[in-house]
Amino acid sequence: MTTINPVTDLTLEGDVAVLTLNSPPVNALSAPVRDGIFNGIRQAIDNPAVKAVVLICDGRTFIAGADITEFNKAATGASLFDAQAMIENASKPVVAAIHGTALGGGLEVALTCHYRVAVPSAKCGLPEVNLGLLPGAGGTQRLPRIVGAERALEMVTAGTHVGAKTCKEIGLVDELVEEGKLREGAIAFAKKIVAEGRPLKRVRDTDDKVAPARGKPEIFAEFRKAHARKFRGFLAPEYNIQCIEAAVNLPFDEGIKVEQKLFRELITGVQSAAQRHVFFAERQVWKLPDVPADTPLIDVKKVGIIGAGTMGGGIAMNFLNAGFPVTIVETKQEALDRGIATIRKNYENTAKKGRLTLDDVEKRMGLLKGSLALEDLADSDLVIEAIFENMAVKKDVFGKLDKIVKQGAILATNTSALDINEIATAVSRPEAVIGLHFFSPANVMRLLEVVRADKTSKSVIATSMAIAKKIGKIAALVGVCPGFVGNRILAQRQREAQKLILEGAMPWDVDRVLYDFGLPMGPFAMSDLAGLDLGWSKETSKGETLRDRLCELDRRGQKTGAGFYDYDANRNASPSPVVEKLILDFAAEKGINRRTISDQEILERCIYPMINEGAKILEEGKAIRASDIDIIWINGYGFPVYRGGPMFYGDTIGLDKVLAKIKEFQSQMGDDFKPSALLEKLVAEGKGFKDL
Ligand code: 3HC
């Protein structure tokens, strides 16, 4: 065995040289890995005894891509292009041996190999788009030369990981080898191609797979149209498409020039910086500074849920999907039956769309038990209360649970508004109490706010985070405060949106600005969707707010065909003259002199107080990191990923500018805009949230 460098070894197996990379955790293409490939392949080729080379990785995966931590830093050693050219131009066949994931630059390296073999569990993909990038090492030019333009378009714009069996079908992998026997299989394959005298296949020299799309711009136009909604606001998908167009229409080297130019634009841009921030934030959010990784976990085998309404049912589905037996408790048979029927209907609808088999539906329903007695939760390891928001009732339920549920179990509340410390006073074991704040619809939304109360034990926190992962959520640990983190920040935006429509804007102006900023919908469209009458009653309505007046006119949102907007039979919204007049009259009554409000003011009034509130939350220690707040807002409220979340967005604007605006608003509008001390401190020190 020859050591090429600390992460690369070269061994000879007869006349096959095996170049092994070992750079944990994921063999990313850091400088030593690139050097190792470059020098290792050269040595192997220079050795007259070698007839073929196998490139393989130790550890959990084949190369998972460029080293993201190295981006925008000065590169050292062999470039990725150098390493790839060494492989592609080798005078002897080089075979990539793939296990785990060959992603991004990793697949691009494999695409310069003359052949590729993989174990059945391996996956290949070009996920750069998820980092706001495009494959910048020839991937956009080589991939379509193997799989054709249409398939390549799908792969580079969705960034999906394609299983090895499919890779074999589409020609991305030449041979599958037995699971667990990659090394032997790859060596045998290398020997076979030598024995058969197979040619050195250079993907770059082929044309047959891209030729059919040449002169057919409609392929690209249709693709853009079909995915316009999904790609809205993102730069990277369009840039990826342009690269595939180049692969179809230009010679290889010209195509590479296009790829390089567009790659450089993306990698130096704000969107990719934001999406890379999100990549790391999604991994950081699980790390809890004061809850060690080896904290003992509670063994959760059975789950109890109280309340079979929309929330309770949605929460139950998460656990059923993950294979947990669930007992769901209601107070009345009718409500229980309705809740269970809704769960079944949801599953059956998914089955109709082909995303579940009827067998799966029955398996899930088989894990669900309905009950009218809290006593049936006695042996649950985790109980989640999901009843209406009333402190007295919740405390009563927790008091009862305390007497019923076995010791050591987690007693969780799904409250989105109430003080969990107070709920915890209802039990003799406050260390067992925690908030698990699911977002509606709970079976769909990825976010879970795990809310630690003052006395929650570390083991309960660690188990809650682990359970969140098991049921496919992204969880952020937050502290108890009104609205917790997500809704507390939302309240800032909602307040300003309401003020803006009295001061001069119309609901559709505010919505348009926030939609164009990248949110899925604006606050007024959102209110119409949720229903304006949540928490409103005809009997007690005094017409004091716009909402009261809308509801009094039976404009209660989409469901009544009218709210802030008018709706047609297909629920398409249009601005409402009735609402316009209502707003003008209301503002006049309140003595407000309406003025013209610019789009920029709408944006700054809605978003900057969110950033300021996020800073207050950090100051109070209610969130661990600024990036956790970003994760919450991206996954719970649809904040555009390409802006990195509200806190990252604040950094990209410059906190000094944000603070100056906040102060300007404070001088005009008072203490709704009181600056956070942390924000002032960061600005004074010339820092951003990223420096915390
Ligand atoms: N560069 C640097 N670090 C990386 C990395 C990369 N490409 N990929 C993963 N890591 C790190 C993670 O940050 C994490 O670090 P941590 O333990 O300190 O938090 C560690 O490796 C393990 O990663 P995961 O927790 O994500 O492990 P999983 O086993 O769940 O997933 C994976 C493994 C599927 C490889 C996943 O990490 C992944 O999707 N990685 C990114 C792949 C990617 O986007 N590749 C393209 C990069 S861009 C590129 O190649 C440009 C090229 O075209 C020029």
Side-chain angles (χ1 to χ4, degrees):
M1 187 179 79
T2 315
T3 301
I4 304 290
N5 68 14
V7 301
T8 324
D9 290 329
L10 189 63
T11 45
L12 264 191
E13 301 281 346
D15 51 11
V16 176
V18 181
L19 187 65
T20 309
L21 304 171
N22 186 8
S23 179
V26 295
N27 290 308
L29 289 157
S30 58
V33 172
R34 296 191 306 264
D35 279 340
I37 298 174
F38 182 82
N39 293 319
I41 296 284
R42 183 163 57 189
Q43 275 199 30
I45 301 304
D46 286 349
N47 183 344
V50 169
K51 295 229 169 73
V53 187
V54 166
L55 175 64
I56 194 166
C57 292
D58 268 349
R60 63 208 246 204
T61 178
F62 190 75
I63 305 165
D67 186 338
I68 307 169
T69 60
E70 268 190 3
F71 285 176
N72 292 337
K73 291 186 190 149
T76 54
S79 74
L80 185 49
F81 275 100
D82 293 338
Q84 288 178 299
M86 185 59 76
I87 297 173
E88 195 164 49
N89 299 328
S91 53
K92 299 167 187 175
V94 182
V95 178
I98 302 171
H99 76 295
T101 47
L103 299 177
L107 181 58
E108 290 174 296
V109 166
L111 286 171
T112 54
C113 294
H114 306 106
Y115 295 92
R116 287 159 294 282
V117 300
V119 287
S121 63
K123 291 194 170 115
C124 297
L126 293 174
E128 283 87 343
V129 72
N130 298 326
L131 300 170
L133 291 172
L134 54 86
T140 65
Q141 304 306 297
R142 290 190 181 86
L143 182 71
R145 283 179 163 77
I146 295 183
V147 303
E150 275 117 327
R151 186 98 197 197
L153 279 173
E154 291 286 350
M155 281 181 71
V156 295
T157 58
T160 35
H161 301 181
V162 180
K165 285 180 194 149
T166 307
C167 288
K168 170 81 171 57
E169 282 160 27
I170 61 179
L172 203 47
V173 159
D174 297 286
E175 195 162 287
L176 294 180
V177 303
E178 196 183 325
E179 199 69 52
K181 297 205 169 145
L182 180 60
R183 190 182 156 96
E184 301 90 309
I187 293 170
F189 179 82
K191 288 191 167 152
K192 185 169 78 177
I193 55 173
V194 170
E196 292 173 1
R198 286 207 219 168
L200 296 175
K201 276 203 315 195
R202 296 202 325 164
V203 176
R204 56 171 289 153
D205 297 336
T206 63
D207 186 60
D208 56 313
K209 285 285 165 42
V210 280
R214 203 161 294 141
K216 290 191 185 148
E218 65 277 13
I219 292 179
F220 298 94
E222 278 161 21
F223 187 80
R224 285 186 171 98
K225 207 169 139 207
H227 295 83
R229 239 178 101 113
K230 187 173 147 211
F231 297 161
R232 181 176 75 95
F234 288 91
L235 286 178
E238 171 56 29
Y239 279 39
N240 272 279
I241 296 172
Q242 288 179 21
C243 287
I244 305 294
E245 275 179 313
V248 167
N249 297 319
L250 299 174
F252 183 84
D253 287 326
E254 294 302 309
I256 288 284
K257 280 187 199 151
V258 172
E259 185 190 89
Q260 279 303 289
K261 177 176 169 287
L262 296 180
F263 181 79
R264 264 194 306 277
E265 271 183 42
L266 288 178
I267 201 162
T268 50
V270 176
Q271 287 206 356
S272 174
Q275 290 180 251
R276 276 160 13 226
H277 160 77
V278 175
F279 176 86
F280 288 114
E282 281 178 346
R283 284 156 179 80
Q284 274 258 292
V285 77
W286 301 100
K287 294 172 187 157
L288 313 178
D290 74 329
V291 182
D294 59 357
T295 303
L297 298 183
I298 297 158
D299 187 11
V300 175
K301 291 208 187 79
K302 287 187 180 172
V303 178
I305 291 170
I306 307 171
T310 315
M311 257 350 252
I315 295 170
M317 289 176 73
N318 285 291
F319 288 94
L320 298 173
N321 295 344
F324 287 92
V326 174
T327 302
I328 195 161
V329 177
E330 255 299 345
T331 45
K332 297 217 166 64
Q333 188 66 44
E334 197 198 339
L336 183 63
D337 292 345
R338 204 178 328 121
I340 292 178
T342 305
I343 295 176
R344 174 174 280 285
K345 202 175 97 219
N346 286 342
Y347 279 138
E348 285 172 350
N349 284 340
T350 313
K352 269 189 208 135
K353 289 179 198 145
R355 284 189 270 132
L356 271 187
T357 65
L358 288 176
D359 220 34
D360 294 333
V361 175
E362 293 314 321
K363 236 183 243 153
R364 284 165 171 74
M365 292 309 292
L367 289 168
L368 180 64
K369 194 180 132 200
S371 166
L372 296 176
L374 282 179
E375 285 70 20
D376 282 341
L377 302 182
D379 65 346
S380 297
D381 307 291
L382 164 65
V383 176
I384 305 174
E385 164 277 308
I387 59 172
F388 54 96
E389 298 282 23
N390 178 305
M391 181 57 89
V393 180
K394 290 207 193 233
K395 278 169 87 170
D396 180 54
V397 167
F398 271 77
K400 288 181 179 143
L401 286 177
D402 192 29
K403 297 196 181 71
I404 294 169
V405 182
K406 68 178 182 193
Q407 289 299 318
I410 300 177
L411 305 179
T413 169
N414 175 52
T415 184
S416 61
L418 300 178
D419 180 347
I420 300 173
N421 283 318
E422 192 181 336
I423 296 177
T425 59
V427 299
S428 62
R429 38 176 154 161
E431 68 283 356
V433 176
I434 196 162
L436 294 180
H437 180 206
F438 289 81
F439 286 68
S440 185
N443 53 319
V444 177
M445 297 293 288
R446 248 187 107 202
L447 179 66
L448 180 68
E449 274 184 333
V450 174
V451 193
R452 82 192 286 175
D454 291 348
K455 295 188 177 154
T456 311
S457 77
K458 292 189 178 176
S459 154
V460 166
I461 294 172
T463 307
S464 299
M465 296 297 281
I467 286 282
K469 214 173 225 179
K470 262 199 190 150
I471 61 172
K473 299 286 173 199
I474 184 150
L477 183 64
V478 302
V480 176
C481 57
F484 311 132
V485 170
N487 284 345
R488 176 169 161 183
I489 290 177
L490 177 68
Q492 296 288 316
R493 186 192 84 182
Q494 299 301 80
R495 183 196 64 225
E496 288 311 304
Q498 293 295 339
K499 277 161 59 183
L500 282 163
I501 61 172
L502 295 183
E503 289 169 33
M506 280 293 152
W508 31 95
D509 299 323
V510 176
D511 281 356
R512 173 181 44 78
V513 169
L514 291 176
Y515 179 81
D516 288 349
F517 179 75
L519 284 152
M521 64 179 82
F524 298 102
M526 192 177 90
S527 300
D528 276 1
L529 181 66
L532 298 182
D533 55 354
L534 280 177
W536 176 85
S537 92
K538 201 172 189 166
E539 292 68 39
T540 54
S541 180
K542 296 201 183 83
E544 279 169 349
T545 62
L546 259 182
R547 196 255 308 240
D548 281 354
R549 295 198 185 175
L550 287 165
C551 288
E552 284 166 15
L553 292 173
D554 206 32
R555 299 187 67 99
R556 289 182 285 127
Q558 283 198 16
K559 60 186 172 189
T560 57
F564 282 102
Y565 293 85
D566 290 334
Y567 292 90
D568 69 13
N570 296 322
R571 296 204 168 191
N572 293 312
S574 55
S576 161
V578 177
V579 172
E580 186 160 346
K581 181 163 183 319
L582 202 71
I583 290 173
L584 295 179
D585 292 349
F586 194 80
E589 257 177 54
K590 301 265 165 202
I592 297 168
N593 273 330
R594 286 175 66 86
R595 63 189 167 90
T596 305
I597 296 186
S598 70
D599 286 359
Q600 186 173 344
E601 179 177 343
I602 292 176
L603 189 68
E604 290 168 348
R605 287 271 300 277
C606 289
I607 306 284
Y608 287 10
M610 290 170 55
I611 300 168
N612 191 39
E613 195 66 23
K616 289 180 185 171
I617 285 170
L618 288 172
E619 211 177 287
E620 295 166 23
K622 301 296 179 190
I624 298 171
R625 290 160 284 248
S627 62
D628 289 8
I629 299 179
D630 289 334
I631 289 298
I632 289 173
W633 259 76
I634 287 170
N635 293 285
Y637 304 82
F639 201 92
V641 180
Y642 57 80
R643 297 197 193 275
M647 308 311 273
F648 185 87
Y649 178 67
D651 275 351
T652 60
I653 298 293
L655 294 189
D656 52 342
K657 293 203 182 71
V658 174
L659 179 62
K661 259 296 162 203
I662 290 277
K663 284 185 167 166
E664 187 187 317
F665 290 148
Q666 185 188 25
S667 69
Q668 295 162 355
M669 287 169 268
D671 273 353
D672 281 349
F673 291 94
K674 191 169 184 306
S676 124
L678 176 66
L679 188 58
E680 301 217 63
K681 179 168 171 281
L682 287 172
V683 171
E685 292 170 357
K687 290 183 178 161
F689 294 120
K690 64 179 182 315
D691 303 309
L692 285 172

